[in-house]
Amino acid sequence: MMRKIKYTIAVLLGIFTINSCNDNDLELSNPNELSPETYFKSETQVQASVNAAYANLQTRGLYARHIFFALDNMAQENKGNPQLEGNKKPFLDFSFDASSDIIQFYWETCYLGISKANFVLDNEAKINALPNSILTQEKKNKFLGEAHFLRAYYYFLLVPRFGDLPIYTKQTIVGNPRSPKDEVYKLIVSDFDFASKNLLSKNAEDKGRATKEAAFAYLGKALLYQKKYDEALAAFSKVTGFSLESNFYNNFMDETEHGPESIFEIEYDEKLGVADKWGSDTAGDGVAESTLRGQEYGNLGWYNVYPSDNLLDEYEAGDKRFGDTFYVPGSKYNNGANTMTAANFSSSEGLRRAGWKKYQNYYKRTDENLDSSINFKVMRYSDVLLMMAECESLRSGGVQATAIGYINQVRARAGVPLLATTLTKDQVFTALIHERKVELAGEQVRFDDIIRWGIASTQLAGTGFKAGKSELWPIPNRETSSNPNIKPSNNNPGY
């Protein structure tokens, strides 16, 4: 825990250092306004500049609030209670448009994160020129690796949402036109590849920072999304030193963060301050060390959404993940001192079957108190195992029994029957659809899965999803009105 606290404090110092120089952080040009002639003189300054690029992951535009609503709602893992805010409801029925503030905040905070990463990379020569007595070459390489990792991560958040994107590899005051998504993927793969060769391993790096293994995992995922199965499998094979948590729920508690299954996490620690959380839509500055995920989803809190029947019905009898993913009447909470009753799942439209347990603080207390310090485990080893199974099954010459072996590692922990090793390729694919749905429920994975698999029209039938339109979000109005190289007529189909 101490190493996590040290990291988060360093992030805050970086935020204050980077952002206090400019009141207008929404400008793409340079949110930092720092002069390389007077900066990058010490390890502290280099680290602070890198830390500032992490901070945009904590914003309300991403993991503090909006990303989980948008993606879980589109995947139909959620249904909305009547009190669900109006800007979040359109992600249930795909009625959002280019005026959506959630889409705008998502776009802007990702591009600000990219700009902050580019601020570091624009000064690579200056960083490398520092004497080794001030900053060793290993640390220079790893800080640059973090900047490459973060730039790739933000682009990897953007490309499934918007498709073709403006590419920025240097800070600029000029808005670029959209480039084909294949070019965006080339940059993503290049950045993750650089990071994999220069970052430190998990056992040598502070908790919360990008590692060599995280870079390989995301490199593999980016290649998988392009259906480059052999290359993806080669990258995943280098994600070593991890194992599944013996207790599935350890992945979603505050006290068990950075465990043996955790590959990359988005950090939160409310003890460090939450004063600026309501103003942290995009900028990534101020003190906003909490996420609203607990309060928003909590059936004893705001209970804005609840797990859909479609999701609840997916679980096999005896699957231990069900009780670790959802609260239902009879569930114990508050360290076992309290029991959920049917009344704890009430809404103005009647009783609901369940509430979310993942990322909730009820396991140790009776309310959410607005703030939560539970990190988002955005890459877990179980996800890697299932992606390896997918690559092995779908690649030319793939061995289905090997793919099934990866799936069975995940199923064994869940306490469900293992799959027969004689399944056909089609049967393995059906098993993967199921396994990813129940293993990664509420982790913002499923929508992208069903889109890339080409099954969204079937899976989302009757929801308002329109093939050829709803796969992507529109470029937000503020971008098409301010960037002369992206006009409203250049928007995605149907918008």
Side-chain angles (χ1 to χ4, degrees):
M1 181 63 70
M2 182 59 68
R3 293 177 72 195
K4 174 191 170 184
I5 293 173
K6 285 183 180 179
Y7 160 70
T8 313
I9 290 173
V11 168
L12 291 174
L13 290 173
I15 294 167
F16 294 139
T17 303
I18 295 296
N19 291 291
S20 62
C21 300
N22 186 357
D23 292 331
N24 186 5
D25 253 27
L26 293 180
E27 292 296 326
L28 176 65
S29 56
N30 185 345
N32 311 312
E33 289 297 325
L34 291 174
S35 169
E37 286 70 31
T38 59
Y39 207 64
F40 296 110
K41 299 290 188 182
S42 67
E43 178 176 345
T44 299
Q45 290 179 333
V46 175
Q47 178 168 300
S49 67
V50 174
N51 290 344
Y54 280 96
N56 285 72
L57 296 171
Q58 297 177 313
T59 61
R60 288 202 303 159
L62 291 179
Y63 292 96
R65 195 175 197 198
H66 295 313
I67 190 172
F68 45 83
F69 271 118
L71 294 181
D72 294 348
N73 287 5
M74 289 194 300
Q76 304 300 302
E77 293 181 316
N78 282 338
K79 291 296 180 183
N81 276 319
Q83 68 270 21
L84 179 64
E85 291 177 303
N87 65 342
K88 299 172 181 65
K89 291 179 180 178
F91 295 90
L92 288 167
D93 62 9
F94 296 92
S95 61
F96 47 78
D97 59 30
S99 68
S100 168
D101 59 339
I102 289 177
I103 292 174
Q104 174 190 308
F105 295 152
Y106 188 105
W107 173 279
E108 290 179 351
T109 198
C110 284
Y111 270 110
L112 277 167
I114 289 166
S115 186
K116 291 176 181 180
N118 280 339
F119 177 70
V120 178
L121 298 175
D122 286 351
N123 291 281
E124 179 176 354
K126 191 171 185 66
I127 293 169
N128 277 325
L130 287 171
N132 285 342
S133 59
I134 293 177
L135 189 62
T136 66
Q137 191 61 49
E138 181 183 50
K139 285 190 174 181
K140 294 172 187 176
N141 293 344
K142 85 102 179 178
F143 284 132
L144 293 169
E146 286 180 272
H148 279 281
F149 178 95
L150 289 166
R151 183 170 70 182
Y153 189 89
Y154 287 117
Y155 270 118
F156 200 35
L157 289 176
L158 286 165
V159 71
R161 302 280 69 76
F162 299 99
D164 301 345
L165 290 167
I167 292 177
Y168 300 96
T169 57
K170 294 183 179 296
Q171 291 196 320
T172 176
I173 61 172
V174 178
N176 287 344
R178 299 173 76 182
S179 294
K181 69 176 182 180
D182 288 348
E183 294 299 315
V184 182
Y185 271 118
K186 285 181 182 178
L187 176 62
I188 290 169
V189 167
S190 175
D191 275 345
F192 281 139
D193 181 62
F194 181 97
S196 72
K197 295 171 180 173
N198 290 279
L199 291 175
L200 302 181
S201 293
K202 180 182 179 179
N203 59 8
E205 183 56 278
D206 288 342
K207 294 176 181 178
R209 307 189 78 89
T211 65
K212 181 181 296 292
E213 295 85 359
F216 277 125
Y218 276 104
L219 174 61
K221 187 172 183 178
L223 291 164
L224 169 60
Y225 272 40
Q226 300 172 82
K227 303 186 187 304
K228 298 179 179 180
Y229 302 121
D230 287 298
E231 294 175 61
L233 198 56
F236 288 137
S237 69
K238 296 176 182 177
V239 183
T240 58
F242 296 87
S243 61
L244 297 179
E245 290 273 11
S246 57
N247 176 4
F248 179 71
Y249 196 64
N250 282 351
N251 287 304
F252 311 105
M253 294 191 293
D254 196 4
E255 297 81 4
T256 49
E257 291 166 349
H258 302 289
E261 189 170 340
S262 175
I263 297 173
F264 188 56
E265 302 187 14
I266 309 301
E267 301 289 306
Y268 289 101
D269 189 344
E270 61 192 284
K271 295 176 184 177
L272 297 171
V274 299
D276 300 298
K277 68 183 176 191
W278 292 109
S280 64
D281 289 320
T282 60
D285 57 6
V287 184
E289 283 287 330
S290 75
T291 171
L292 287 156
R293 170 64 170 74
Q295 182 73 302
E296 298 276 13
Y297 279 31
N299 62 287
L300 303 180
W302 290 347
Y303 205 21
N304 286 324
V305 292
Y306 59 96
S308 68
D309 288 344
N310 175 274
L311 178 59
L312 296 172
D313 292 342
E314 185 73 21
Y315 287 78
E316 299 164 69
D319 191 329
K320 293 187 288 188
R321 290 170 294 193
F322 185 93
D324 286 336
T325 304
F326 311 108
Y327 284 116
V328 296
S331 296
K332 295 291 185 180
Y333 70 106
N334 189 28
N335 293 308
N338 298 77
T339 303
M340 295 280 182
T341 67
N344 293 137
F345 305 93
S346 64
S347 76
S348 61
E349 291 182 343
L351 298 178
R352 306 305 188 191
R353 287 173 60 186
W356 285 98
K357 184 176 180 179
K358 278 185 179 179
Y359 296 121
Q360 299 300 139
N361 289 280
Y362 299 141
Y363 71 90
K364 61 180 177 180
R365 64 195 199 202
T366 58
D367 58 64
E368 289 293 341
N369 297 326
L370 280 180
D371 299 311
S372 175
S373 294
I374 301 175
N375 291 353
F376 280 82
K377 285 188 172 67
V378 291
M379 181 62 77
R380 297 195 282 117
Y381 186 57
S382 66
D383 191 359
V384 170
L385 287 172
L386 294 177
M387 288 190 288
M388 290 177 73
E390 184 176 345
C391 291
E392 181 62 37
S393 178
L394 297 180
R395 73 183 182 91
S396 177
V399 179
Q400 301 308 314
T402 301
I404 293 164
Y406 294 132
I407 300 172
N408 278 342
Q409 289 185 54
V410 178
R411 290 180 64 81
R413 177 177 61 182
V416 291
L418 302 185
L419 302 176
T421 58
T422 56
L423 295 183
T424 65
K425 184 176 181 178
D426 286 345
Q427 290 172 326
V428 172
F429 184 66
T430 298
L432 273 168
I433 294 173
H434 164 79
E435 209 61 41
R436 289 184 65 79
K437 185 174 181 178
V438 296
E439 173 71 20
L440 301 167
E443 297 183 51
Q444 299 79 59
V445 171
R446 179 161 172 76
F447 184 75
D448 287 337
D449 280 350
I450 61 177
I451 292 295
R452 65 190 178 83
W453 290 333
I455 62 173
S457 292
T458 301
Q459 296 288 314
L460 301 176
T463 66
F465 178 89
K466 296 179 181 178
K469 175 185 177 181
S470 303
E471 295 89 347
L472 298 175
W473 286 353
I475 307 298
N477 283 339
R478 189 144 80 180
E479 179 70 15
T480 58
S481 64
S482 61
N483 183 344
N485 287 308
I486 304 179
K487 299 178 174 60
S489 59
N490 301 136
N491 219 317
N492 283 323
Y495 300 106

